[in-house]
C-alpha cells in the first residue's frame, strides 16, 4: 500500500519547493499526498495557523512533510494577532515531536561555497539533536505595556528522553550544550544527562560545553563534534550557525520525531519572502528533508540514500542556485536531481 503523506507547503517559497519535492519522491516510490493549508495561508483562510482538522489529518498520516511558514504579511508584535509560527509550534507539540535531528555534513562539492575555509569544514559530520517541545518556547508568557516574561522550564523526564535520542545516535561522542554557569534549567539538564549517561550509555564519550563556547567551536573546529544535544532555543540558534558550514542554509534538512506516530520533516530554512515567487529558491534542503522522511519516517533507507546521492551528484556536476553563488533556478535544480535519480 502507498504511504500516506500530508504535505504542508505553507508560505513564501514553500509551495515552490514542495511541488518539485513531490516529483522527486514519485521518482523513488509510491505515495499518496494530501495537501493542507498551513501557517500564513491558513491564517488567511481560517484565522488560525493550524486548524484542528489539519492537526487531525497529520496525526492520521504516515509522515508529514512541511516546507516553510511566515512572511511580512503576518509579521506583528501584537500578542493578540495570530502568527504563522504558531502553526509550527502547535504541530510539533500536537504530534509530540520532542526530538529534532539536524544533520550537518557539508557536501564535498560545496567545500568552497562555505564562508569558512575548506580546511576548516572538510570532513565535518555532526548531528544537532535539539529538544523541540520544551524550554522557553513553551513556557508561560506574560505581557504588560511595559514588561514581558518568557519562562524557561524543563522536567527531568523531558531531558532524559532527548538525552537517550542523542546517546543512541552517537558514533563516538555526545557534546551536551548548556549554560550551567547561569541557568537553573541548565544545571538540571547537566545532572540528568550525566545520570542517563552513566546508567545507560557509559561506553559513549560525554562532554559538557557552555553554549557560548559551543558557538565559537562550531566555526573554529567543527570536526570536534559528533552529536550535539541541547535545549530548544540553543538548538535553534546553533543549528542556523552550523548550517553555514554547508555553504548555505538552503542545504540543511531536519527531522522531528516523537516516541510514536508520524514524524515531521522540514528544511531548517524559512519562507524567504524576499525571493518568493521568482522560481529561484534552492529546493535541495527540501529534497534532503524528504530523504530524512524516507529514512526516519518510513524506513526506506535505500530510497533515502538514492535521493541524497542524486543531490550530491547534481552538485558535483556544478549545479549552483543563487544562494550558493550560482545562477540556476528551482526548475533546473529539480531537473538535475531527477536526471540522476532516473539514471540510477
Ligand atoms: C526553526 C525555526 C522555528 C523555530 C521558527 C520558525 C518558529 O526557526 O525551525 O528553526 O524557532 O523553531
Ligand atoms: Mg530556527
Amino acid at each position: 500500500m502507498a504511504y500516506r503523506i500530508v504535505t504542508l507547503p505553507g508560505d513564501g517559497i514553500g509551495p515552490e519547493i514542495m511541488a518539485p519535492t513531490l516529483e522527486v519522491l514519485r521518482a523513488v516510490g509510491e505515495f499518496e499526498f494530501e495537501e493542507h493549508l498551513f501557517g500564513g495561508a491558513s491564517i488567511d483562510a481560517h484565522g488560525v495557523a493550524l486548524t484542528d482538522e489539519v492537526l487531525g489529518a497529520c496525526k492520521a498520516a504516515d509522515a508529514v512533510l512541511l516546507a516553510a511558514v511566515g512572511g511580512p504579511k503576518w509579521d506583528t508584535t501584537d500578542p493578540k494577532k495570530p502568527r504563522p509560527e504558531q502553526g509550527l509550534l502547535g504541530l510539533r507539540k500536537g504530534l509530540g515531536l520532542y526530538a529534532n535531528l539536524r544533520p550537518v555534513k557539508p557536501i564535498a562539492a560545496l567545500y568552497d561555497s562555505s564562508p569558512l575555509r575548506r580546511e576548516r569544514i572538510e570532513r565535518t559530520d555532526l548531528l544537532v539533536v535539539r529538544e523541540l517541545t520544551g524550554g522557553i518556547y513553551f513556557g508561560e508568557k506574560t505581557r504588560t505595556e511595559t514588561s514581558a516574561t518568557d519562562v524557561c522550564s524543563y522536567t527531568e523526564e523531558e531531558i532524559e528522553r532527548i538525552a537517550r535520542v542523542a546517546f543512541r545516535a552517537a558514533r563516538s561522542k555526545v557534546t551536551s550544550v548548556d549554560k550551567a554557569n547561569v541557568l537553573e534549567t541548565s544545571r538540571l539538564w547537566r545532572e540528568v544527562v550525566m545520570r542517563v549517561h552513566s546508567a545507560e550509555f557509559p561506553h559513549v564519550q560525554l562532554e559538557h560545553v557552555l553554549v557560548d563556547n559551543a558557538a565559537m567551536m562550531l566555526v573554529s573546529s567543527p570536526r570536534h563534534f559528533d552529536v550535539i544535544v541541547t535545549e530548544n532555543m540553543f538548538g535553534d540558534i546553533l543549528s542556523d550557525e552550523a548550517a553555514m558550514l554547508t555553504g548555505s542554509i538552503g542545504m540543511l534538512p531536519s527531522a522531528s520525531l516523537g516516541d510514536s506516530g508520524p514524524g515531521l520533516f522540514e528544511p531548517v530554512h524559512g519562507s524567504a519572502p524576499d525571493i518568493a515567487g521568482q522560481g529561484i529558491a534552492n529546493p535541495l534542503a527540501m529534497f534532503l528533508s524528504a530523504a530524512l522522511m524516507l529514512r526516519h519516517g518510513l524506513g526506506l533507507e535505500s530510497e533515502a540514500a538514492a535521493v541524497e546521492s542524486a543531490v550530491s551528484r547534481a552538485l558535483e556536476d556544478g549545479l549552483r542556485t543563487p544562494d550558493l553563488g550560482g545562477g540556476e533556478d528551482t526548475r533546473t535544480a529539480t531537473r538535475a536531481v531527477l536526471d540522476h535519480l532516473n539514471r540510477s
Side-chain angles (χ1 to χ4, degrees):
M1 226 178 60
Y3 290 101
R4 290 182 40 237
I5 315 295
V6 163
T7 64
L8 306 171
D11 312 313
I13 59 167
E16 295 164 47
I17 57 172
M18 182 64 84
T21 304
L22 305 193
E23 291 179 56
V24 167
L25 284 168
R26 285 199 183 98
V28 297
E30 243 194 83
F31 306 93
E32 254 175 53
F33 298 112
E34 179 186 321
E35 183 177 308
H36 288 281
L37 291 177
F38 187 65
S42 172
I43 292 177
D44 287 350
H46 306 292
V48 289
L50 170 66
T51 64
D52 293 343
E53 186 215 335
V54 172
L55 178 59
C58 291
K59 284 183 178 163
D62 292 314
V64 181
L65 197 55
L66 164 70
V69 293
K73 181 173 177 196
W74 306 280
D75 253 339
T76 171
T77 55
D78 182 348
K80 288 183 230 62
K81 293 246 175 69
R83 294 191 60 97
E85 293 81 4
Q86 290 163 343
L88 195 52
L89 301 182
L91 195 57
R92 290 171 178 171
K93 195 76 171 178
L95 295 177
L97 306 172
Y98 65 85
N100 183 223
L101 313 183
R102 298 185 163 183
V104 181
K105 185 177 180 183
I107 292 173
L110 291 183
Y111 280 161
D112 295 314
S113 304
S114 171
L116 294 164
R117 278 203 306 276
R118 167 189 273 267
E119 315 85 83
R120 279 269 145 90
I121 57 172
E122 261 172 344
R123 299 184 314 284
T124 295
D125 183 359
L126 63 89
L127 175 69
V128 179
V129 176
R130 169 186 174 193
E131 200 290 326
L132 203 60
T133 52
I136 199 166
Y137 273 62
F138 291 93
E140 193 201 350
K141 295 175 187 301
T142 68
R143 174 71 191 266
T144 69
E145 222 20 55
T146 53
S147 74
T149 64
D150 296 278
V151 173
C152 181
S153 77
Y154 269 106
T155 64
E156 182 180 38
E157 191 208 340
E158 285 173 318
I159 301 167
E160 275 171 2
R161 63 185 185 177
I162 193 72
R164 287 193 185 103
V165 171
F167 285 120
R168 271 186 225 120
R171 283 159 303 182
S172 59
K173 176 171 62 180
V174 168
T175 305
S176 174
V177 172
D178 62 38
K179 188 74 184 172
N181 52 347
V182 178
L183 301 178
E184 211 50 60
T185 40
S186 283
R187 289 190 273 268
L188 179 68
W189 180 279
R190 201 175 271 216
E191 262 176 44
V192 174
V193 170
M194 288 197 292
R195 203 180 313 135
V196 171
H197 174 249
S198 53
E200 301 172 39
F201 304 91
H203 54 284
V204 181
Q205 197 188 328
L206 169 66
E207 65 177 1
H208 305 275
V209 176
L210 296 173
V211 62
D212 45 353
N213 190 22
M216 192 183 71
M217 287 169 69
L218 263 178
V219 287
S220 67
S221 41
R223 273 187 300 270
H224 174 85
F225 298 104
D226 174 16
V227 169
I228 295 175
V229 64
T230 192
E231 64 97 47
N232 204 343
M233 188 155 75
F234 296 161
D236 177 46
I237 298 168
L238 292 181
S239 58
D240 267 34
E241 186 191 5
M244 288 319 290
L245 303 171
T246 67
S248 164
I249 191 147
M251 292 303 303
L252 214 64
S254 91
S256 304
L257 307 169
D259 283 326
S260 60
L264 171 69
F265 303 87
E266 57 172 320
V268 169
H269 65 71
S271 61
D274 51 322
I275 58 161
Q278 298 175 35
I280 57 166
N282 178 354
L284 298 180
M286 187 78 232
F287 295 170
L288 294 172
S289 300
L292 291 184
M293 176 182 85
L294 294 166
R295 173 175 300 122
H296 296 291
L298 307 174
L300 301 174
E301 174 55 38
S302 64
E303 287 83 347
V307 171
E308 285 165 350
S309 109
V311 168
S312 292
R313 279 184 288 160
L315 291 164
E316 278 157 29
D317 291 349
L319 168 70
R320 296 288 183 278
T321 40
D323 56 307
L324 293 169
E328 264 128 348
D329 61 9
T330 313
R331 195 63 243 156
T332 315
T334 306
R335 262 273 78 76
V337 172
L338 283 174
D339 281 350
H340 279 291
L341 272 179
N342 294 331
R343 223 178 287 164
S344 61

